């Protein structure tokens, strides 16, 4: 049973490629895929690209061309939930598209044809991801993660935490505090308590639902989706998020 590991950004993928045994690079649909073994188990490492359409194409290729049995997404996200801080980790329990709006034909956020707005992640895979994330953050290496930003990350009062809950995807980089507040508030008023925003996960969750493949996702919080969201983003991805992804996914593959 082959596991697909999707990353949004090349930096995140390359930290995992280094650990592959029998690596084999293949191009398909204009994307690079890496086949090999991680912790002795067959994997395909894939780049999702940025945004929902690119991610859906990658996810579809992973099923149709590579026959993967399950998918795990690793990447970064903007924290919008209360207490979801830079350097924390969010494991998605469900996904929603925050920019889906076919109202008044369908209720706001409902995906037409699916009679739902939320797509559930696989509980067993998510539990493994949470366990691996907690183990990493508790380790000496995990404690170093944020410090490697050399003080660029605002000091948080608490140690990094793992959160589990709803993540929202949309084709927008949310980078205004007012927008983040509005997005969270309108969703909350409809009973959707969102922890974080990103740009791909809900698309992959929908493709996995279509093909009956289990899906789980782990996101490192790179920003608070506010007016400074873009400032340290590249440095954060390079120095912190790649390290989180590498260690959490290696721990996950070991327990699979
Ligand atoms: N990924 C990381 N931060 C994000 C943000 N603020 N908005 C959307 N996607 C993100």
């Amino acid at each position: 049973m082959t596991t697909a590991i999707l990353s949004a950004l090349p930096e995140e993928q390359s930290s995992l490629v280094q650990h592959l045994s029998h690596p084999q690079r293949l191009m398909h649909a204009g994307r690079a895929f890496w086949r090999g073994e991680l912790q002795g188990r067959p994997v395909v490492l894939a780049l999702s690209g940025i945004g929902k359409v690119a991610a859906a194409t990658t996810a579809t290729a992973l099923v149709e061309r590579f026959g993967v049995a399950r998918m795990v997404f690793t990447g970064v996200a903007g924290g919008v939930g209360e207490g979801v801080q830079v350097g924390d980790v969010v494991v998605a329990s469900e996904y929603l598209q925050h920019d889906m709006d076919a109202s008044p034909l369908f209720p706001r956020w409902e995906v037409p044809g699916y009679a739902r707005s939320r797509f559930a992640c696989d509980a067993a895979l998510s539990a493994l991801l949470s366990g691996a994330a907690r183990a990493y953050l508790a380790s000496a290496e995990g404690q170093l993660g944020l410090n490697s930003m050399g003080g660029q990350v605002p000091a948080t009062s608490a140690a990094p935490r793992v959160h589990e809950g709803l993540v929202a995807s949309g084709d927008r980089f949310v980078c205004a505090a007012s927008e983040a507040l509005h997005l969270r508030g309108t969703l909350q008023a409809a009973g959707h308590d969102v922890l974080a925003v990103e740009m791909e996960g809900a698309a992959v969750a929908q493709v996995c639902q279509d093909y009956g493949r289990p899906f789980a996702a782990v996101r490192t919080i790179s920003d608070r989706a506010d007016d400074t969201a873009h400032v340290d983003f590249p440095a954060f991805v390079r120095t912190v998020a790649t390290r989180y992804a590498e260690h959490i996914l290696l721990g996950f593959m070991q327990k699979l």
Side-chain angles (χ1 to χ4, degrees):
M1 284 228 290
T2 301
T3 304
I5 301 175
L6 289 95
S7 314
L9 302 166
E11 295 92 327
E12 295 172 304
Q13 187 190 46
S14 52
S15 70
L16 287 169
V17 169
Q18 302 174 65
H19 294 277
L20 273 187
S21 331
H22 318 296
Q24 195 190 357
R25 184 175 184 270
L26 296 120
M27 289 301 293
H28 180 72
R31 292 148 163 76
F33 294 83
W34 286 87
R35 234 189 325 223
E37 284 179 13
L38 266 188
Q39 311 284 38
R41 298 174 212 285
V43 292
V44 179
L45 307 182
L47 276 182
S48 66
I50 296 174
K52 289 183 287 153
V53 175
T57 300
T58 300
T60 304
L62 282 165
V63 176
E64 294 281 356
R65 167 75 178 77
F66 294 94
V68 303
R70 48 172 100 90
M71 293 189 210
V72 177
F73 201 111
T74 166
V76 292
V80 295
E82 205 175 325
V84 181
Q85 302 295 343
V86 172
D88 285 358
V89 171
V90 171
V91 175
S93 59
E94 287 180 289
Y95 263 104
L96 168 152
Q97 295 179 43
H98 66 73
D99 55 356
M100 173 58 75
D101 187 359
S103 61
L105 303 177
F106 295 88
R108 181 78 214 271
W109 299 297
E110 182 172 311
V111 182
Y114 292 78
R116 76 181 76 168
S117 52
R118 291 156 74 140
F119 289 75
C121 295
D122 182 79
L125 292 181
S126 301
L128 286 181
L129 278 179
S130 293
R134 289 204 165 84
Y136 172 62
L137 290 181
S139 70
E141 169 69 36
Q143 310 282 316
L144 283 176
L146 270 185
N147 296 335
S148 62
M149 280 289 283
Q152 289 175 71
V153 168
T156 50
S157 49
R161 293 168 57 199
V162 178
H163 309 261
E164 287 157 34
L166 177 66
V167 177
S169 309
D171 289 323
R172 290 183 61 77
F173 186 80
V174 180
C175 56
S178 55
E179 184 183 346
L181 262 178
H182 180 257
L183 196 148
R184 178 182 167 206
T186 48
L187 282 168
Q188 204 163 37
H192 305 296
D193 209 355
V194 63
L195 294 177
V197 289
E198 39 87 311
M199 301 177 69
E200 298 85 18
V204 179
Q206 189 173 328
V207 171
C208 284
Q209 160 80 28
D210 288 339
Y211 284 101
R213 298 297 194 276
F215 171 63
V218 58
R219 294 275 184 168
T220 301
I221 300 302
S222 56
D223 60 87
R224 279 286 303 171
D226 57 14
D227 303 59
T228 62
H230 60 291
V231 176
D232 294 328
F233 186 82
F236 187 92
V237 169
R238 228 178 18 252
T239 56
V240 182
T242 53
R243 208 186 278 212
Y244 273 46
E246 178 184 354
H247 288 92
I248 293 171
L249 265 295
L250 287 176
F252 167 84
M253 289 305 300
Q254 200 171 34
K255 292 273 157 62
L256 199 59

mmCIF file of all heavy atoms in Angstrom, residues 95-115:
data_model
loop_
_atom_site.group_PDB
_atom_site.id
_atom_site.type_symbol
_atom_site.label_atom_id
_atom_site.label_comp_id
_atom_site.label_asym_id
_atom_site.label_seq_id
_atom_site.Cartn_x
_atom_site.Cartn_y
_atom_site.Cartn_z
ATOM 1 N N TYR A 95 -12.348 19.500 6.728
ATOM 2 C CA TYR A 95 -12.005 20.609 5.822
ATOM 3 C C TYR A 95 -13.256 21.253 5.255
ATOM 4 O O TYR A 95 -14.269 20.588 5.044
ATOM 5 C CB TYR A 95 -11.161 20.087 4.655
ATOM 6 C CG TYR A 95 -9.685 20.279 4.868
ATOM 7 C CD1 TYR A 95 -8.872 19.224 5.227
ATOM 8 C CD2 TYR A 95 -9.121 21.532 4.721
ATOM 9 C CE1 TYR A 95 -7.505 19.406 5.419
ATOM 10 C CE2 TYR A 95 -7.759 21.734 4.917
ATOM 11 C CZ TYR A 95 -6.961 20.672 5.258
ATOM 12 O OH TYR A 95 -5.620 20.869 5.450
ATOM 13 N N LEU A 96 -13.138 22.537 4.960
ATOM 14 C CA LEU A 96 -14.232 23.305 4.358
ATOM 15 C C LEU A 96 -13.600 24.304 3.383
ATOM 16 O O LEU A 96 -12.471 24.743 3.608
ATOM 17 C CB LEU A 96 -14.960 24.010 5.494
ATOM 18 C CG LEU A 96 -15.977 25.106 5.263
ATOM 19 C CD1 LEU A 96 -16.978 25.099 6.429
ATOM 20 C CD2 LEU A 96 -15.340 26.473 5.188
ATOM 21 N N GLN A 97 -14.310 24.630 2.286
ATOM 22 C CA GLN A 97 -13.812 25.660 1.354
ATOM 23 C C GLN A 97 -14.438 26.995 1.757
ATOM 24 O O GLN A 97 -15.638 27.192 1.562
ATOM 25 C CB GLN A 97 -14.209 25.333 -0.079
ATOM 26 C CG GLN A 97 -13.574 24.072 -0.617
ATOM 27 C CD GLN A 97 -14.017 23.780 -2.041
ATOM 28 O OE1 GLN A 97 -14.092 24.683 -2.877
ATOM 29 N NE2 GLN A 97 -14.308 22.526 -2.324
ATOM 30 N N HIS A 98 -13.619 27.910 2.286
ATOM 31 C CA HIS A 98 -14.218 29.157 2.790
ATOM 32 C C HIS A 98 -14.663 30.083 1.669
ATOM 33 O O HIS A 98 -15.434 31.008 1.896
ATOM 34 C CB HIS A 98 -13.284 29.870 3.772
ATOM 35 C CG HIS A 98 -12.005 30.400 3.197
ATOM 36 N ND1 HIS A 98 -11.967 31.503 2.389
ATOM 37 C CD2 HIS A 98 -10.727 29.979 3.331
ATOM 38 C CE1 HIS A 98 -10.698 31.728 2.042
ATOM 39 N NE2 HIS A 98 -9.934 30.821 2.593
ATOM 40 N N ASP A 99 -14.198 29.817 0.419
ATOM 41 C CA ASP A 99 -14.619 30.664 -0.699
ATOM 42 C C ASP A 99 -15.694 29.986 -1.563
ATOM 43 O O ASP A 99 -15.990 30.453 -2.661
ATOM 44 C CB ASP A 99 -13.414 31.086 -1.549
ATOM 45 C CG ASP A 99 -12.588 29.899 -2.045
ATOM 46 O OD1 ASP A 99 -12.903 28.745 -1.670
ATOM 47 O OD2 ASP A 99 -11.628 30.126 -2.808
ATOM 48 N N MET A 100 -16.268 28.881 -1.081
ATOM 49 C CA MET A 100 -17.357 28.234 -1.818
ATOM 50 C C MET A 100 -18.666 28.958 -1.505
ATOM 51 O O MET A 100 -19.051 29.067 -0.339
ATOM 52 C CB MET A 100 -17.448 26.753 -1.411
ATOM 53 C CG MET A 100 -18.652 26.022 -1.987
ATOM 54 S SD MET A 100 -18.708 26.054 -3.791
ATOM 55 C CE MET A 100 -17.436 24.853 -4.190
ATOM 56 N N ASP A 101 -19.322 29.485 -2.530
ATOM 57 C CA ASP A 101 -20.572 30.207 -2.305
ATOM 58 C C ASP A 101 -21.461 30.098 -3.531
ATOM 59 O O ASP A 101 -21.348 30.895 -4.466
ATOM 60 C CB ASP A 101 -20.273 31.685 -1.971
ATOM 61 C CG ASP A 101 -21.536 32.437 -1.560
ATOM 62 O OD1 ASP A 101 -22.625 31.823 -1.551
ATOM 63 O OD2 ASP A 101 -21.413 33.632 -1.232
ATOM 64 N N ALA A 102 -22.323 29.078 -3.537
ATOM 65 C CA ALA A 102 -23.289 28.919 -4.628
ATOM 66 C C ALA A 102 -24.682 29.327 -4.146
ATOM 67 O O ALA A 102 -25.684 28.854 -4.672
ATOM 68 C CB ALA A 102 -23.281 27.478 -5.139
ATOM 69 N N SER A 103 -24.718 30.196 -3.115
ATOM 70 C CA SER A 103 -26.009 30.677 -2.620
ATOM 71 C C SER A 103 -26.577 31.670 -3.646
ATOM 72 O O SER A 103 -25.796 32.316 -4.361
ATOM 73 C CB SER A 103 -25.817 31.379 -1.267
ATOM 74 O OG SER A 103 -24.953 32.490 -1.402
ATOM 75 N N PRO A 104 -27.882 31.775 -3.820
ATOM 76 C CA PRO A 104 -28.909 31.107 -3.001
ATOM 77 C C PRO A 104 -29.297 29.711 -3.513
ATOM 78 O O PRO A 104 -30.233 29.123 -2.986
ATOM 79 C CB PRO A 104 -30.083 32.076 -3.111
ATOM 80 C CG PRO A 104 -29.969 32.618 -4.503
ATOM 81 C CD PRO A 104 -28.490 32.720 -4.782
ATOM 82 N N LEU A 105 -28.570 29.204 -4.503
ATOM 83 C CA LEU A 105 -28.949 27.886 -5.027
ATOM 84 C C LEU A 105 -28.675 26.788 -3.998
ATOM 85 O O LEU A 105 -29.402 25.801 -3.917
ATOM 86 C CB LEU A 105 -28.176 27.582 -6.318
ATOM 87 C CG LEU A 105 -28.322 28.602 -7.449
ATOM 88 C CD1 LEU A 105 -27.451 28.218 -8.634
ATOM 89 C CD2 LEU A 105 -29.786 28.688 -7.884
ATOM 90 N N PHE A 106 -27.582 26.956 -3.260
ATOM 91 C CA PHE A 106 -27.186 26.006 -2.215
ATOM 92 C C PHE A 106 -26.812 26.813 -0.979
ATOM 93 O O PHE A 106 -26.390 27.965 -1.106
ATOM 94 C CB PHE A 106 -25.972 25.175 -2.668
ATOM 95 C CG PHE A 106 -26.271 24.278 -3.835
ATOM 96 C CD1 PHE A 106 -26.127 24.745 -5.142
ATOM 97 C CD2 PHE A 106 -26.696 22.972 -3.628
ATOM 98 C CE1 PHE A 106 -26.409 23.935 -6.222
ATOM 99 C CE2 PHE A 106 -26.977 22.149 -4.712
ATOM 100 C CZ PHE A 106 -26.830 22.625 -6.012
ATOM 101 N N PRO A 107 -26.919 26.202 0.196
ATOM 102 C CA PRO A 107 -26.507 26.935 1.397
ATOM 103 C C PRO A 107 -25.047 27.361 1.278
ATOM 104 O O PRO A 107 -24.230 26.665 0.663
ATOM 105 C CB PRO A 107 -26.671 25.907 2.523
ATOM 106 C CG PRO A 107 -27.626 24.896 1.990
ATOM 107 C CD PRO A 107 -27.412 24.856 0.501
ATOM 108 N N ARG A 108 -24.740 28.521 1.866
ATOM 109 C CA ARG A 108 -23.371 29.042 1.867
ATOM 110 C C ARG A 108 -22.403 27.952 2.325
ATOM 111 O O ARG A 108 -22.688 27.264 3.305
ATOM 112 C CB ARG A 108 -23.317 30.270 2.791
ATOM 113 C CG ARG A 108 -21.974 30.951 2.890
ATOM 114 C CD ARG A 108 -21.687 31.812 1.688
ATOM 115 N NE ARG A 108 -20.284 31.827 1.354
ATOM 116 C CZ ARG A 108 -19.395 32.685 1.848
ATOM 117 N NH1 ARG A 108 -19.768 33.634 2.654
ATOM 118 N NH2 ARG A 108 -18.136 32.620 1.488
ATOM 119 N N TRP A 109 -21.306 27.797 1.654
ATOM 120 C CA TRP A 109 -20.199 26.856 1.916
ATOM 121 C C TRP A 109 -20.501 25.413 1.511
ATOM 122 O O TRP A 109 -19.634 24.581 1.534
ATOM 123 C CB TRP A 109 -19.714 26.883 3.381
ATOM 124 C CG TRP A 109 -19.193 28.219 3.780
ATOM 125 C CD1 TRP A 109 -18.116 28.876 3.264
ATOM 126 C CD2 TRP A 109 -19.739 29.083 4.771
ATOM 127 N NE1 TRP A 109 -17.962 30.085 3.865
ATOM 128 C CE2 TRP A 109 -18.938 30.239 4.796
ATOM 129 C CE3 TRP A 109 -20.824 28.981 5.637
ATOM 130 C CZ2 TRP A 109 -19.201 31.306 5.654
ATOM 131 C CZ3 TRP A 109 -21.085 30.030 6.499
ATOM 132 C CH2 TRP A 109 -20.275 31.185 6.500
ATOM 133 N N GLU A 110 -21.774 25.099 1.163
ATOM 134 C CA GLU A 110 -22.052 23.719 0.743
ATOM 135 C C GLU A 110 -21.451 23.483 -0.637
ATOM 136 O O GLU A 110 -21.530 24.332 -1.518
ATOM 137 C CB GLU A 110 -23.563 23.468 0.710
ATOM 138 C CG GLU A 110 -23.894 22.024 0.323
ATOM 139 C CD GLU A 110 -25.377 21.697 0.483
ATOM 140 O OE1 GLU A 110 -25.951 21.992 1.545
ATOM 141 O OE2 GLU A 110 -25.952 21.155 -0.482
ATOM 142 N N VAL A 111 -20.808 22.325 -0.815
ATOM 143 C CA VAL A 111 -20.245 21.978 -2.122
ATOM 144 C C VAL A 111 -21.352 21.329 -2.947
ATOM 145 O O VAL A 111 -21.850 20.260 -2.574
ATOM 146 C CB VAL A 111 -19.045 21.013 -1.967
ATOM 147 C CG1 VAL A 111 -18.437 20.702 -3.335
ATOM 148 C CG2 VAL A 111 -17.984 21.614 -1.044
ATOM 149 N N PRO A 112 -21.771 21.972 -4.041
ATOM 150 C CA PRO A 112 -22.878 21.425 -4.821
ATOM 151 C C PRO A 112 -22.590 19.984 -5.261
ATOM 152 O O PRO A 112 -21.480 19.656 -5.679
ATOM 153 C CB PRO A 112 -22.944 22.363 -6.037
ATOM 154 C CG PRO A 112 -22.409 23.659 -5.516
ATOM 155 C CD PRO A 112 -21.304 23.257 -4.565
ATOM 156 N N GLY A 113 -23.598 19.142 -5.121
ATOM 157 C CA GLY A 113 -23.454 17.742 -5.526
ATOM 158 C C GLY A 113 -23.001 16.833 -4.406
ATOM 159 O O GLY A 113 -23.003 15.609 -4.557
ATOM 160 N N TYR A 114 -22.587 17.403 -3.287
ATOM 161 C CA TYR A 114 -22.101 16.584 -2.167
ATOM 162 C C TYR A 114 -22.984 16.705 -0.917
ATOM 163 O O TYR A 114 -22.776 15.979 0.040
ATOM 164 C CB TYR A 114 -20.663 16.974 -1.796
ATOM 165 C CG TYR A 114 -19.631 16.628 -2.852
ATOM 166 C CD1 TYR A 114 -19.474 17.418 -3.984
ATOM 167 C CD2 TYR A 114 -18.825 15.502 -2.714
ATOM 168 C CE1 TYR A 114 -18.537 17.106 -4.944
ATOM 169 C CE2 TYR A 114 -17.882 15.176 -3.677
ATOM 170 C CZ TYR A 114 -17.739 15.990 -4.786
ATOM 171 O OH TYR A 114 -16.812 15.671 -5.743
ATOM 172 N N ALA A 115 -23.929 17.655 -0.968
ATOM 173 C CA ALA A 115 -24.852 17.879 0.162
ATOM 174 C C ALA A 115 -24.129 18.087 1.479
ATOM 175 O O ALA A 115 -24.585 17.643 2.538
ATOM 176 C CB ALA A 115 -25.845 16.717 0.270
#
